[in-house]
Amino acid sequence: MKRLSLLVLFEAMVSVSIGILMSKMSWIGRMGINLFRGEYKILKIWWKTALLVFSILLMLILIQYLIKRICNLTFSRLFFFLFLLLGCLGLAYTYHDFSTVYEHKIMKERFHLGGYLFWIGWIASNLYFLVTPYQKSVQVNE
């Protein structure tokens, strides 16, 4: 778990990239958000989007860290594998949604890339916890 700070730094960089990419949506997409989908206005401001995504990814890391610390090896690996599967399904669904829903098609490729990067960050965090070895707790006998 010594490299956990590297994972957090990676997720921070991914979050900033997502925020910048999603804020570069098309003009038509911006107008659609202004007129019809006001609940998505946060996506127009890159740093707010980055903070939202980073907080979601940090919560995922915290949950996985606690699972790895509290649960046994079999349960935690099953949990990480299921979350990895969920990330892959989320990526596939996002691709399907962006390629079939007209409102999402016109948002531009950079916006789409931001959506895909979210799931890539999710998958990366799951892979990190899935492949890092367990550390046995060291007890000092005096």
Side-chain angles (χ1 to χ4, degrees):
M1 297 288 188
K2 294 178 182 177
R3 293 177 290 263
L4 190 61
S5 59
L6 290 176
L7 176 64
V8 172
L9 180 64
F10 171 76
E11 296 294 1
M13 293 185 328
V14 166
S15 298
V16 168
S17 300
I18 291 169
I20 292 171
L21 288 169
M22 289 192 128
S23 69
K24 302 290 184 191
M25 66 186 77
S26 67
W27 181 80
I28 295 172
R30 284 183 175 277
M31 290 300 106
I33 286 176
N34 285 337
L35 297 174
F36 304 112
R37 301 284 186 183
E39 63 270 16
Y40 297 125
K41 283 187 179 181
I42 192 171
L43 297 176
K44 292 171 38 178
I45 303 167
W46 75 268
W47 62 270
K48 286 184 179 181
T49 305
L51 282 176
L52 177 66
V53 169
F54 187 60
S55 64
I56 292 169
L57 292 175
L58 273 182
M59 286 182 4
L60 175 68
I61 290 172
L62 178 65
I63 291 168
Q64 291 174 327
Y65 179 77
L66 292 174
I67 292 292
K68 190 158 192 162
R69 288 299 226 182
I70 295 172
C71 299
N72 63 12
L73 177 67
T74 306
F75 178 78
S76 61
R77 288 220 171 129
L78 178 65
F79 178 83
F80 300 145
F81 180 74
L82 289 175
F83 262 46
L84 180 67
L85 183 63
L86 182 66
C88 292
L89 289 173
L91 181 63
Y93 177 75
T94 302
Y95 174 76
H96 173 71
D97 186 56
F98 284 165
S99 60
T100 57
V101 176
Y102 179 72
E103 291 175 341
H104 296 156
K105 276 185 182 181
I106 62 174
M107 295 297 279
K108 279 181 133 178
E109 294 82 19
R110 287 182 274 187
F111 182 85
H112 294 180
L113 185 58
Y116 303 144
L117 273 177
F118 172 78
W119 292 109
I120 290 170
W122 177 291
I123 291 168
S125 128
N126 284 298
L127 285 175
Y128 170 83
F129 281 99
L130 196 58
V131 301
T132 53
Y134 276 77
Q135 297 177 358
K136 295 180 182 176
S137 58
V138 177
Q139 295 180 357
V140 178
N141 295 333
E142 295 180 26

